[in-house]
Amino acid sequence: MSSSSEQNIARYLGIHRVIEPRGTLPQPAWKLDNTPSVYPTETLIDVQKLHIDSASFTQIAKVCERDTERMSKHILDIVSQRGKMHNPVTGSGGVLLGTVEQVDEDFAQEHHLTGGDAIVSLTSLSWLPLSLRRIHKIHLDRAEVEVEGKAIFFRSNPLAKLPHDLQQALVVAALDVAGAPARVATLAQAGQQVTVLGAGGTAGLLTLCALRQKIGSNGMIIALEYSEKALQDIIDLGVADVVVQADATHPLDAIEQVRHVYPAHDYQADLTVNVVNVPGTEFATILLTKPDGRILFFSMATSFTTAALGAEGMARQVEMHIGNGYMRDCGSVALQLLRDYPALRAIFTKRFGTAV
Amino acid sequence: MSSSSEQNIARYLGIHRVIEPRGTLPQPAWKLDNTPSVYPTETLIDVQKLHIDSASFTQIAKVCERDTERMSKHILDIVSQRGKMHNPVTGSGGVLLGTVEQVDEDFAQEHHLTGGDAIVSLTSLSWLPLSLRRIHKIHLDRAEVEVEGKAIFFRSNPLAKLPHDLQQALVVAALDVAGAPARVATLAQAGQQVTVLGAGGTAGLLTLCALRQKIGSNGMIIALEYSEKALQDIIDLGVADVVVQADATHPLDAIEQVRHVYPAHDYQADLTVNVVNVPGTEFATILLTKPDGRILFFSMATSFTTAALGAEGMARQVEMHIGNGYMRDCGSVALQLLRDYPALRAIFTKRFGTAV
């Protein structure tokens, strides 16, 4: 590689903004330069909202006892320490919503952008230099933070323009987890039995709809969920064939519940999708899957070693995938599901919708 | 599920040996009951050697400054604290070698075992109750620990009988990482370009041979390795098409090295296999893979969130797999490679062989 093409890759990825440790990529870096003005090849976004990753938001809410003032301070501290909203405990981020303030020419061309466009990031916040002037409000019910701030996008960072036919808050919520339904659609096959753990979460509900479209009416969808409230949403959505209340952190109990609700059938799935937002659900996921089946771990709370050594220790040959949040069409897949399923849109509106 | 079939599953998995936290499976549990006498459905093994997982051994050697006395004490401490050789820092284990002392009838039938048979565990040590009376010797060069101790196998734990035509130390070393070549063979396709990171390690060398058999002479194997010594072994093995010395913890440098040694070609692989035993190589792995390619992470040092958010942040659609160490035939696949490749056997003999 010539040194100039190497420099191009470095700049494309945003390595020039890394303060510590030097030479690493922005996401794994501890600290980024979050100066809110653009260097060449960068795009500046005026940020209005953060939609914090569910695992991260849950952790912050817990440590601050759901006190929004303490949570605000906690979030501002993370951002000022790291130059990005990258929760050091969970390692995860979220997405942001803002408007284009100053756009790099190449970037503008690739994403059909002009100044003033409303956009949503399709990359994790753990990747983007962010500076916050203040936090206006935290919505505990939807992991949303209203802010005044600026973010930098590098050319490698994906984003989506906001569509006009769907409410902003719904779009942000859906795009945050858009990778899950898009990826699931590439793994599931018509007629399969598929189990979804954490099916009542945002990613879970989208996943159920994507699965229904993919596996057809001969397929069987088993939805597991712990929360009563989310369970009712799954029932209202009406796309799962079997709905089970179970705690996936207790593998044997979870198996027992599935067998109780779905007796006289194999309780093990061809494909299991894990979108649970708490740790410790790897074993239930493996044990609820056929020994030669497949698993898609989409939860950021997944432990790599627990999954790998768990399958090995239990002599299960299962093929396990790391949920990669990016697919070329993931934004449009997720938004189309919101258009295709009025019941899904209703649940999203109830959860994330803002008064018009 | 009837309460008796539930009890059977619990016993099959070894949940009755978990001390803390109660009700979890033995692998994620902090502490197991390592009493060296069998309860019903258990098998007792007289343990002679531990072959510690590479990530774990490296960590222990580092923290003890490669002083084998300190390392012995460190290992004995872990085992007495947890009732198993489960490194709390790396989360990984390794395998053990021993002889059958007292065998459960069902287990004996499934594995064709009788008392006195020499066996190797195919499950991680992090799963097995272990008690150590003493450590005789630590072989720094091959992550091997000679011990006097007892282990318990549950019915769910896979193991392999030692074959008679291969040296014991070689068999142990190969079976420890046997999942990698077996799994790789299911993912690679004839004619593909495949890159192996950490190709000079035990898992790496086996993987190179499995790949050569699978992708054929039209396929292209690029082997990356950091250590000079291991690099020479890759060259001596003679199955990789391109051999590159590079540090995978520095993604841009690694790309530059591959492009330097393999110019005028796409440096990105259809399939990349990561068997590196240090953390921080996820980004290099992703960047060295075609955006729509596949990755198999077989390193226990892999971070789930770094891989997931890294691919997303760089807008790479790549399909990522968690290396599952168990496959039905993985033991025989790995041992057959040792028989098929005399050069591989020679390197294994040099690294792990004991004077006859």
Side-chain angles (χ1 to χ4, degrees), chain A residues 50 69-85 131-136 145 147-148:
Chain A
L50 305 179
E69 271 196 44
R70 284 171 61 189
M71 289 174 71
S72 289
K73 191 178 171 315
H74 193 99
I75 291 168
L76 288 169
D77 281 353
I78 290 175
V79 172
S80 87
Q81 263 179 41
R82 306 197 65 174
K84 56 178 175 172
M85 183 48 210
S131 61
L132 292 182
R133 205 169 297 170
R134 74 183 67 193
I135 289 179
H136 294 303
V145 184
V147 302
E148 194 180 318

Side-chain angles (χ1 to χ4, degrees), chain B residues 75-349:
Chain B
I75 291 169
L76 288 170
D77 281 353
I78 290 175
V79 173
S80 85
Q81 263 178 41
R82 306 196 65 175
K84 56 177 176 173
M85 183 49 210
H86 187 177
N87 186 328
V89 177
T90 62
S92 58
V95 298
L96 65 81
L97 193 142
T99 48
V100 176
E101 191 166 317
Q102 203 173 337
V103 65
D104 166 62
E105 209 171 293
D106 278 28
F107 197 72
Q109 206 169 357
E110 194 186 331
H111 297 285
H112 313 287
L113 287 181
T114 50
D117 278 350
I119 62 94
V120 190
S121 62
L122 287 183
T123 190
S124 165
L125 285 174
S126 59
W127 192 272
L128 303 171
L130 176 72
S131 60
L132 292 183
R133 206 169 297 172
R134 72 184 69 192
I135 290 179
H136 294 302
K137 195 172 180 184
I138 293 183
H139 299 271
L140 281 171
D141 52 331
R142 55 178 194 260
E144 189 184 291
V145 184
E146 293 182 31
V147 302
E148 194 181 318
K150 307 282 179 192
I152 300 292
F153 276 64
F154 308 114
R155 285 184 180 167
S156 62
N157 300 133
L159 55 67
K161 279 207 281 187
L162 284 169
H164 297 291
D165 64 326
L166 291 165
Q167 218 187 94
Q168 211 181 64
L170 275 59
V171 172
V172 177
L175 290 182
D176 181 25
V177 294
R183 185 67 59 172
V184 159
T186 70
L187 291 178
Q189 286 159 29
Q192 281 189 328
Q193 179 172 324
V194 185
T195 295
V196 180
L197 279 73
T202 314
L205 295 169
L206 282 162
T207 296
L208 293 176
C209 296
L211 279 172
R212 188 81 282 162
Q213 291 190 340
K214 189 64 194 287
I215 68 175
S217 55
N218 289 332
M220 173 64 57
I221 302 177
I222 301 177
L224 262 78
E225 173 57 51
Y226 179 61
S227 138
E228 289 273 0
K229 215 170 142 190
L231 210 68
Q232 189 54 51
D233 285 339
I234 297 171
I235 294 164
D236 293 344
L237 180 61
V239 306
D241 301 293
V242 178
V243 182
V244 183
Q245 184 167 25
D247 179 353
T249 64
H250 292 94
L252 289 189
D253 295 351
I255 291 173
E256 192 184 9
Q257 290 309 317
V258 173
R259 292 183 64 159
H260 178 71
V261 179
Y262 189 55
H265 291 90
D266 189 351
Y267 65 91
Q268 301 172 117
D270 299 303
L271 170 68
T272 302
V273 183
N274 181 319
V275 278
V276 178
N277 64 4
V278 296
T281 62
E282 296 86 354
F283 284 90
T285 309
I286 294 165
L287 288 169
L288 286 168
T289 310
K290 292 199 172 88
D292 57 353
R294 277 172 156 183
I295 290 171
L296 177 63
F297 283 108
F298 230 99
S299 164
M300 283 301 147
T302 306
S303 157
F304 185 91
T305 49
T306 303
L309 297 177
E312 184 186 297
M314 297 187 288
R316 311 283 278 205
Q317 184 165 318
V318 62
E319 181 180 294
M320 300 186 287
H321 292 234
I322 297 175
N324 172 355
Y326 180 75
M327 288 194 67
R328 236 160 261 131
D329 56 351
C330 70
S332 53
V333 167
L335 297 183
Q336 194 54 43
L337 290 169
L338 276 180
R339 296 186 185 103
D340 291 349
Y341 289 89
L344 179 67
R345 213 162 53 238
I347 297 166
F348 268 61
T349 304

Side-chain angles (χ1 to χ4, degrees), chain A residues 1 25 28 123-124 127 157 183 255 283 299 304 312-318 320-322 324 326 328, chain B residues 1 25 28 123-124 127 157 183 255 283 299 304 312-320 322 324 326 328:
Chain A
M1 193 187 305
L25 293 169
T123 190
S124 165
W127 193 273
N157 301 133
R183 184 67 59 172
I255 292 174
F283 285 91
S299 163
F304 184 92
E312 185 185 297
M314 297 186 287
R316 311 283 277 206
Q317 184 165 318
V318 62
M320 301 186 287
H321 291 235
I322 298 174
N324 171 354
Y326 179 74
R328 235 160 261 133
Chain B
M1 193 185 303
L25 293 169
T123 190
S124 165
W127 192 272
N157 300 133
R183 185 67 59 172
I255 291 173
F283 284 90
S299 164
F304 185 91
E312 184 186 297
M314 297 187 288
R316 311 283 278 205
Q317 184 165 318
V318 62
E319 181 180 294
M320 300 186 287
I322 297 175
N324 172 355
Y326 180 75
R328 236 160 261 131

Side-chain angles (χ1 to χ4, degrees), chain A residues 27-313:
Chain A
Q27 199 276 333
W30 176 254
K31 193 180 171 76
L32 302 180
D33 167 9
N34 64 353
T35 311
S37 57
V38 293
Y39 303 121
T41 74
E42 295 181 347
T43 291
L44 183 68
I45 301 291
D46 185 62
V47 184
Q48 285 110 34
K49 286 178 191 166
L50 305 179
H51 194 80
I52 310 268
D53 164 79
S54 174
S56 171
F57 195 80
T58 303
Q59 188 272 329
I60 293 169
K62 198 174 171 187
V63 84
C64 298
E65 295 169 314
R66 297 179 73 79
D67 174 334
T68 53
E69 271 196 44
R70 284 171 61 189
M71 289 174 71
S72 289
K73 191 178 171 315
H74 193 99
I75 291 168
L76 288 169
D77 281 353
I78 290 175
V79 172
S80 87
Q81 263 179 41
R82 306 197 65 174
K84 56 178 175 172
M85 183 48 210
H86 187 176
N87 186 329
V89 177
T90 61
S92 58
V95 299
L96 65 81
L97 193 143
T99 50
V100 177
E101 189 165 319
Q102 204 174 336
V103 64
D104 166 62
E105 211 172 291
D106 278 29
F107 198 71
Q109 207 169 356
E110 195 185 329
H111 298 284
H112 313 289
L113 287 181
T114 51
D117 278 350
I119 62 95
V120 189
S121 61
L122 287 183
T123 190
S124 165
L125 285 173
S126 60
W127 193 273
L128 303 170
L130 175 72
S131 61
L132 292 182
R133 205 169 297 170
R134 74 183 67 193
I135 289 179
H136 294 303
K137 195 172 181 186
I138 294 182
H139 299 271
L140 280 172
D141 52 332
R142 55 178 193 259
E144 189 183 291
V145 184
E146 293 183 31
V147 302
E148 194 180 318
K150 307 281 181 192
I152 300 292
F153 276 64
F154 308 114
R155 285 183 179 168
S156 61
N157 301 133
L159 55 66
K161 281 208 281 188
L162 284 169
H164 296 293
D165 64 327
L166 291 165
Q167 216 187 95
Q168 212 180 62
L170 275 58
V171 172
V172 176
L175 290 181
D176 180 25
V177 294
R183 184 67 59 172
V184 159
T186 71
L187 291 179
Q189 285 160 29
Q192 281 188 329
Q193 179 171 326
V194 185
T195 295
V196 181
L197 279 73
T202 315
L205 295 169
L206 282 162
T207 295
L208 292 176
C209 296
L211 279 172
R212 188 82 279 161
Q213 291 190 341
K214 189 63 192 290
I215 67 175
S217 54
N218 290 332
M220 174 62 59
I221 302 177
I222 300 177
L224 261 78
E225 173 60 50
Y226 179 61
S227 137
E228 290 272 359
K229 216 169 140 188
L231 210 69
Q232 188 55 50
D233 285 340
I234 298 172
I235 293 164
D236 293 345
L237 180 62
V239 307
D241 300 294
V242 179
V243 182
V244 183
Q245 182 167 25
D247 178 353
T249 64
H250 292 94
L252 289 189
D253 295 351
I255 292 174
E256 191 185 10
Q257 288 309 315
V258 173
R259 292 183 65 161
H260 178 71
V261 179
Y262 189 54
H265 291 90
D266 189 352
Y267 65 91
Q268 302 172 116
D270 299 303
L271 170 67
T272 302
V273 184
N274 181 318
V275 279
V276 179
N277 63 4
V278 296
T281 62
E282 297 85 355
F283 285 91
T285 310
I286 294 166
L287 288 170
L288 286 168
T289 310
K290 291 198 172 91
D292 57 352
R294 278 171 155 183
I295 291 170
L296 177 63
F297 282 108
F298 231 98
S299 163
M300 282 302 146
T302 306
S303 157
F304 184 92
T305 49
T306 302
L309 298 177
E312 185 185 297

